[in-house]
Amino acid sequence: QVQLVESGGGLVQPGGSLRLSCAASRDTISIYSMAWYRQAPGKQREFVATITTGSHTNYADSVKGRFTISRDNAKNTVYLQMNSLKPEDTAVYYCNAERDWVNYWGEGTLVTVSS
């Protein structure tokens, strides 16, 4: 089964940018639909963005126009480019891989948006 490791989180000022990476191992991501979710303190985990095996994308309304999900199957990596960050984007961001209704998760990377 695929294993996922997120990286790229950190502290950024409002209006800034970050790029998260999700590196996969033990399997190729080319056969998985990939997604990013996030969980803010005291809140439930929520959907952020997804990219299918055919590279079709979908976004939560709260991030549409600011975030971009992409995949590089050759590098077995998925990315989340986050621009115009807001304090409400502060959360632990999780990478997700889904195939045949089975989901796999990474451990998450913390993004803090604060001045």
Side-chain angles (χ1 to χ4, degrees), residues 2 24 27-32 34 53 71-73 76-78:
V2 68
D27 205 351
T28 172
I29 65 167
S30 63
I31 61 174
Y32 293 85
M34 304 297 296
T53 55
R71 63 192 301 156
D72 186 336
N73 291 341
N76 225 25
T77 302
V78 175

Side-chain angles (χ1 to χ4, degrees), residues 3-61:
Q3 289 191 333
L4 306 171
V5 178
E6 302 93 337
S7 62
L11 174 64
V12 63
Q13 292 187 341
S17 298
L18 279 177
R19 188 177 80 155
L20 305 183
S21 299
C22 171
S25 59
R26 294 197 172 185
D27 205 351
T28 172
I29 65 167
S30 63
I31 61 174
Y32 293 85
S33 180
M34 304 297 296
W36 288 93
Y37 287 73
R38 67 186 181 186
Q39 187 166 15
K43 294 187 177 181
Q44 290 189 332
R45 191 173 298 189
E46 65 175 7
F47 166 78
V48 175
T50 189
I51 184 165
T52 67
T53 55
S55 293
H56 297 288
T57 59
N58 191 33
Y59 298 91
D61 287 344

